[in-house]
Amino acid sequence: MLQAIKYNQGHLEILDQLQLPFVEKYILIQTAEDGWHAIKDMKVRGAPAIAIVAMLALASELHSLQSAGQLPEALTETRELILKKLDYLVTSRPTAVNLSDAARKLEALLTSQAALPGVTSQNLVTTFIDAAENMLGKDLEDNQRIGHNGAEWILAHATQSGAPNVSVLTHCNTGSLATSGYGTALGVIRSLESKKVLRHAYCTETRPYNQGSRLTAFELVHDNIPATLITDSMAAALLADPSVGVNAIVVGADRVAANGDTANKIGTYGLAVLARHHGVKFLVAAPLTTIDLATKSGSDIVIEQRSASEVTQIKGPREGVDSGSVTLETIRIAAPGINVWNPAFDITPAALIDGIITEVGVVEKDATGQFHMTVLFNDLTPRA
Ligand code: MRU
């Protein structure tokens, strides 16, 4: 399995996703500022991955300050230093809630620890570093559970027709590169494949940033999962084709509101409309860290607008050049002067979603068509 995030005792490296799938190069992240830029520039992307990289970037910086004996003496000063850097990291990208969720949880942990008698700056920093490091392992375990839960749900619902196996369409990248490993929606596909019930996976190109053709396709090929790439505009024809027989569309999420409305990569909403028209199940796979009970509905979610150049240009190596030593070239593909609208995400209304797959189970709507997301949090053991 690919590894987007490598971390060992204050040493953080991330796979530079701007160069994938042509060059596999890890870059060093030493400070919160390095982490902020890596997230903003999309060297790392995907809701869970950006949260983990942000926290580990700060953990690495604190590790260095600690080793160099440069931490402030006063506990309040150290706490302020960490909180300021957390606030800064949260400004890197607005839509995925995992980042602010992680920052809020670590802030609460520090605040409660700082209130205990005898706690030192060193203790506070060690607590932060331990909690940030735990997030990496926890996310991987959660993804494996999501994969299992989603695969079971799809098999239970999609093979009622008697077919022994299933085909699934996915959008954007939700695999090892977008998480600490295994993936969410791609984890469901991975789990179906490991159960030997995946007939075929289809992935969209995911314009304009091409996370599907660059990252998901790369992961599917890397992991020998039977898969086919389509352009986003081919999805309707694919669902309409009885010889293909797509059983379910599974996507990830950047933020799921309390009513189930889901922000995910632009194009997700269109796929949900198509799924409903064709009677195909539409599922969102996301860890609980992506579910935001404080956001009532999709209309409260801030959608990140990105640069026009993502639509008007494409990047890649010249065809035929050996991928070991490639130079990525930028090609203009749109008429100069045209206006561009480039929202990075859209909102899929809960009404179009059949199930939300999490590490603690799959939530479905009740008879009145409402999701009850709070049930997912009821049996939770304390989180890092
Ligand atoms: O803009 P990106 O590449 O960060 O967007 C990623 C997505 O929308 C993913 O589908 C989502 O974050 C789920 S990641 C498991």
Side-chain angles (χ1 to χ4, degrees), residues 74-130:
L75 179 68
T76 45
E77 239 183 279
T78 303
R79 184 175 161 272
E80 286 312 309
L81 172 93
I82 300 176
L83 298 193
K84 215 167 124 197
K85 286 182 186 285
L86 282 175
D87 286 347
Y88 163 69
L89 282 161
V90 166
T91 63
S92 56
R93 291 192 74 192
T95 304
V97 72
N98 308 56
L99 177 52
S100 53
D101 177 74
R104 242 185 11 244
K105 279 180 183 147
L106 293 197
E107 180 180 338
L109 183 67
L110 294 187
T111 303
S112 63
Q113 209 208 7
L116 297 175
V119 169
T120 64
S121 276
Q122 299 286 342
N123 299 147
L124 208 61
V125 163
T126 305
T127 299
F128 181 91
I129 293 172
D130 289 348

Side-chain angles (χ1 to χ4, degrees), residues 138-206:
K138 173 80 172 69
D139 185 60
L140 179 60
E141 286 168 21
D142 288 347
N143 293 339
Q144 285 162 340
R145 290 197 191 100
I146 288 170
H148 172 79
N149 293 340
E152 292 295 316
W153 194 97
I154 291 172
L155 287 174
H157 290 77
T159 52
Q160 280 160 357
S161 56
N165 50 27
V166 292
S167 286
V168 173
L169 169 65
T170 192
H171 186 57
C172 196
N173 181 252
T174 59
S176 301
L177 298 171
T179 63
S180 61
Y182 201 78
T184 55
L186 202 56
V188 174
I189 290 173
R190 213 185 284 288
S191 178
L192 288 166
E193 169 67 359
S194 71
K195 292 175 197 291
K196 301 200 186 322
V197 288
L198 179 72
R199 187 164 66 250
H200 209 76
Y202 294 87
C203 65
T204 58
E205 187 182 27
T206 320

